Amino acid sequence: MSATYKVTGMTCGGCARSVESAIKSVAPDAKVTVDLGSAAVTVENASEDQVKKAVDEAGFTFLGAA
Amino acid sequence: MSATYKVTGMTCGGCARSVESAIKSVAPDAKVTVDLGSAAVTVENASEDQVKKAVDEAGFTFLGAA
């Protein structure tokens, strides 16, 4: 099952990769897809709390479910 | 005292901010300056191990002292 969250502050592929890595560092089995155009991050195998913590620590802004 | 490290993979201001946030999440008192052009990250008040861990988890590549 996947969930999609709105995450702002990502402006390039490096930002997208950073969010993906940060989520995987707290939830190693996570599958992460980033859509830069819509500021959407879709995640499998991680809780919302894990995603929020990772996104915050990586310097982006977690806005909750998209 | 500050130390400067080479960190690759940062391509925009969002990436730079991400590296800064990641370092501060492991070393809250750190002062971080990123020079995107030279891929240099200058850090006060954090150990090399802390910087390496933060950079790796944020999805960038830590290459050691610049």
Side-chain angles (χ1 to χ4, degrees):
Chain A
M1 217 192 82
S2 70
T4 299
Y5 306 101
K6 188 99 172 173
V7 174
T8 58
M10 301 180 294
T11 55
C12 74
C15 295
R17 194 178 56 243
S18 177
V19 166
E20 185 175 338
S21 291
I23 293 170
K24 288 183 175 175
S25 81
V26 301
D29 294 333
K31 271 191 62 176
V32 182
T33 309
V34 176
D35 182 335
L36 276 179
S38 60
V41 178
T42 301
V43 185
E44 287 178 45
N45 303 325
S47 71
E48 179 168 339
D49 281 353
Q50 288 175 315
V51 174
K52 182 181 187 318
K53 177 181 158 62
V55 167
D56 286 346
E57 288 187 357
F60 302 98
T61 304
F62 181 88
L63 295 179
Chain B
M1 217 192 83
S2 70
T4 300
Y5 306 101
K6 187 102 173 173
V7 174
T8 58
M10 301 180 294
T11 54
C12 75
C15 295
R17 195 178 55 243
S18 177
V19 165
E20 185 174 338
S21 291
I23 293 169
K24 287 182 174 175
S25 81
V26 301
D29 295 333
K31 270 192 62 177
V32 182
T33 308
V34 175
D35 181 336
L36 277 178
S38 60
V41 177
T42 300
V43 186
E44 286 177 47
N45 302 325
S47 71
E48 180 168 340
D49 280 354
Q50 287 175 314
V51 175
K52 182 180 188 317
K53 175 180 161 63
V55 167
D56 286 347
E57 288 186 358
F60 301 97
T61 304
F62 181 88
L63 294 180

